[in-house]
Amino acid sequence: MAKEMLSLDDGTTCTAWNYSASRLAAGSADGTLSIFDSRHPPSSSSLRTTFKSRVVEGNIVKVVWVPPEYGDAVACISADGIVALLEEVAEDSRSLQWKICKSFGNNSGKVLDVQFGISSTSLKMVAAYSDGNVRVFELLDPLELRNWQLQAEFQNVIESVSEFGKASCLSAAISWNPQNGRSQESCFLIGFNSNTPELNSSKVWEFDQAHQRWLPVAELALPEDKGDQVYAVAWAPNIGRPYEIIAVATHKGLAIWHLGLNPDHDGRLPVERVALLSGHEGVVWQMEWDMSGMTLATSGHDGMVRLWQSNLNGVWHQQAAFEPTS
């Protein structure tokens, strides 16, 4: 029988587990960040509050953990598009405290999503903005989470677009390749929900070391679907497959894509949509793969959590569905 580990406060808007699933970060509508810990004692099956404080103005819409190699740290995105980066530090031999070490914002647009990825040289953070721009930041010193440098800025388009009206994006979804990046080039996936069709479709961006720039190497959309708004993306861990698996959610459903590993003569990676799944009533808002990359969990506007798997013949299906209980 399932046992309740934690009851969250009213007004909680988002949550995220750390990489070892020993800590839970929760953001609230009033800008409060809470950290819940299950590590002390290690045998405990419940969570206790170890930090709770207001860290931003207004609603926290997303919390993202920094990779554990860089300490215990989280990024909080507020509804007004500001990112506050907090880390747990020891000050004057006192107990550990969470402190804001860096804030990100831009006058030209709100931050809609951020995700962290480890490259062969450093920690990188990719941020998507409401004006349609994508910015990649690089951590200059692995011991100082406040020292970030803008590495690149571009828009989510395959071909250069001569002119389109000012983009207005409601949301964005980013997913780094979950491989650690030390033996391959950094790459991530991004898609937008915007009024500009060219920006919307999910595209894979890879860092070209030779020319020191980010290049689009794949687009995960059929020709007739390239303008569809993207609501969520998730790149599956790869435990030995000769291709990558990526999930993309649009208003047409949940698409499962295979991404080839060998580029063609133009440097593009082959893609194939192997499934278009329906089941959620309304939009899919969030997706997570398990550690094996074989089971996908999704949640959406209908309030349901659904699990998806492929059978031995490669046919994807809904394996289970859960409805929250009051």
Side-chain angles (χ1 to χ4, degrees):
M1 180 179 293
K3 179 181 178 181
E4 181 179 299
M5 297 179 64
L6 176 68
S7 180
L8 295 171
D9 295 338
D10 291 341
T12 299
T13 54
C14 54
T15 60
W17 288 101
N18 70 348
Y19 284 70
S20 61
S22 61
R23 282 182 149 180
L24 180 72
S28 299
D30 64 356
T32 296
L33 173 69
S34 300
I35 303 293
F36 303 94
D37 204 327
S38 64
R39 298 186 300 183
H40 305 292
S43 60
S44 175
S45 61
S46 61
L47 296 165
R48 66 183 183 91
T49 306
T50 55
F51 173 80
K52 186 174 184 179
S53 180
R54 190 177 185 187
V55 298
V56 296
E57 295 293 331
N59 185 14
I60 297 176
V61 296
K62 189 168 188 175
V63 289
V64 182
W65 286 89
V66 173
E69 295 93 326
Y70 294 86
D72 287 300
V74 294
C76 297
I77 306 176
S78 68
D80 59 3
I82 302 298
V83 178
L85 184 61
L86 295 94
E87 63 176 335
E88 190 179 41
V89 296
E91 291 188 345
D92 301 329
S93 71
R94 293 183 297 176
S95 60
L96 293 171
Q97 300 290 326
W98 286 85
K99 300 290 184 182
I100 295 178
C101 59
K102 183 72 174 180
S103 292
F104 293 88
N106 189 279
N107 294 331
S108 63
K110 301 177 180 179
V111 179
L112 300 175
D113 192 15
V114 297
Q115 292 293 334
F116 298 93
I118 299 175
S119 72
S120 58
T121 58
S122 66
L123 176 68
K124 289 182 170 61
M125 179 181 73
V126 59
Y129 289 76
S130 61
D131 59 3
N133 283 312
V134 181
R135 294 180 177 91
V136 181
F137 299 89
E138 186 173 26
L139 186 65
L140 297 178
D141 184 344
L143 301 179
E144 293 287 345
L145 283 176
R146 65 174 61 89
N147 293 333
W148 294 83
Q149 175 177 281
L150 179 64
Q151 183 202 43
E153 181 175 357
F154 50 87
Q155 289 191 310
N156 189 41
V157 293
I158 292 286
E159 307 293 346
S160 60
V161 179
S162 58
E163 183 178 353
F164 50 75
K166 183 179 180 181
S168 177
C169 306
L170 297 178
S171 63
I174 306 167
S175 183
W176 280 87
N177 182 342
Q179 306 309 114
N180 62 23
R182 292 186 174 89
S183 60
Q184 60 191 65
E185 300 299 342
S186 300
C187 53
F188 64 86
L189 175 75
I190 184 170
F192 281 89
N193 170 13
S194 80
N195 65 347
T196 305
E198 293 88 349
L199 297 176
N200 288 336
S201 60
S202 297
K203 303 173 184 71
V204 177
W205 292 84
E206 184 176 86
F207 190 67
D208 179 9
Q209 287 283 0
H211 299 92
Q212 290 294 294
R213 61 177 180 172
W214 290 89
L215 296 175
V217 294
E219 184 173 18
L220 303 185
L222 300 179
E224 64 270 22
D225 301 332
K226 289 187 177 181
D228 292 350
Q229 292 92 343
V230 171
Y231 299 112
V233 297
W235 195 315
N238 191 337
I239 55 174
R241 292 185 299 264
Y243 55 84
E244 304 286 350
I245 295 180
I246 296 174
V248 177
T250 70
H251 73 279
K252 293 178 180 175
L254 172 61
I256 305 295
W257 291 84
H258 286 181
L259 176 70
L261 304 180
N262 299 313
D264 60 19
H265 64 280
D266 292 328
R268 301 289 175 83
L269 297 174
V271 298
E272 179 188 6
R273 194 182 75 179
V274 296
L276 181 62
L277 306 170
S278 60
H280 283 282
E281 296 179 7
V283 174
V284 174
W285 294 116
Q286 190 170 5
M287 306 189 292
E288 293 285 346
W289 291 95
D290 70 344
M291 294 182 66
S292 69
M294 299 180 67
T295 301
L296 177 69
T298 63
S299 61
H301 187 264
D302 59 3
M304 299 289 292
V305 175
R306 303 180 188 274
L307 302 181
W308 309 86
Q309 292 180 338
S310 68
N311 60 22
L312 295 178
N313 296 320
V315 177
W316 285 83
H317 63 282
Q318 181 177 286
Q319 193 269 339
F322 305 92
E323 184 174 8
T325 57
S326 57

